[in-house]
Amino acid sequence: MNNMNLDLESILAVVGSVGCFGLLFVFVIVMMVVGVRHQRAQTERWAAWARQRGVMLSGSYPMLQVIGTLHGLGIQMVTHRFSHGRGRRRRTSYKHEVIATPQVHIGDLTLSRDGFFASVGKVFGGQDIQIGDAAFDAAFVVR
């Protein structure tokens, strides 16, 4: 009979641990659903912002990329992800970087390395615009 109690206690302990595991499993699933909904809501906010301003959005929050023209400037926003540490001390951070450039239309411009074929082209009347930087002018041909 004592052996039977041990077996019953073992069974109850296993059932109890499965119950806790089940509860933990449900908690993890709920947190994942909440996280996905938050991510979708943030992505939709960014998409609405991009639509209002006429720029293109790709990716999903937090890894976004925005490309377009805003207030006369060409813009590109990219997201970089950095992870630091290991195990429990591992942290991930995100950095949004925006590059804005003026929209300048300069016509056709070609930039190539200065080499044998560029030298042959210069001999036959090819154009090489000198920009005033000796190291750059020696390395590249601007047409």
Side-chain angles (χ1 to χ4, degrees), residues 4-138:
M4 196 171 183
N5 280 342
L6 269 177
D7 290 338
L8 186 57
E9 287 176 9
S10 298
I11 291 170
L12 289 175
V14 168
V15 168
S17 66
V18 168
C20 289
F21 178 74
L23 184 61
L24 179 63
F25 181 75
V26 168
F27 176 75
V28 168
I29 296 297
V30 167
M31 293 308 295
M32 288 173 59
V33 168
V34 167
V36 167
R37 285 185 178 177
H38 172 74
Q39 187 174 2
R40 284 183 184 160
Q42 290 286 35
T43 301
E44 185 50 43
R45 285 186 196 107
W46 275 97
W49 179 88
R51 278 191 304 273
Q52 289 173 350
R53 288 155 181 83
V55 295
M56 184 179 74
L57 173 76
S58 62
S60 63
Y61 181 84
M63 300 298 291
L64 299 169
Q65 182 173 8
V66 176
I67 298 174
T69 303
L70 190 62
H71 303 297
L73 295 174
I75 62 162
Q76 180 176 6
M77 183 192 82
V78 293
T79 305
H80 301 281
R81 179 173 61 190
F82 301 94
S83 295
H84 311 279
R86 291 184 172 181
R88 292 182 179 187
R89 295 179 185 249
R90 185 175 179 90
R91 301 289 180 257
T92 302
S93 57
Y94 298 90
K95 176 182 175 184
H96 299 288
E97 198 170 85
V98 177
I99 302 165
T101 55
Q103 295 293 305
V104 178
H105 300 285
I106 56 174
D108 293 332
L109 180 69
T110 305
L111 177 67
S112 59
R113 290 204 173 271
D114 198 357
F116 174 74
F117 292 108
S119 298
V120 170
K122 289 180 203 173
V123 168
F124 290 104
Q127 184 182 18
D128 182 13
I129 302 170
Q130 302 295 309
I131 65 162
D133 184 327
F136 183 88
D137 290 337

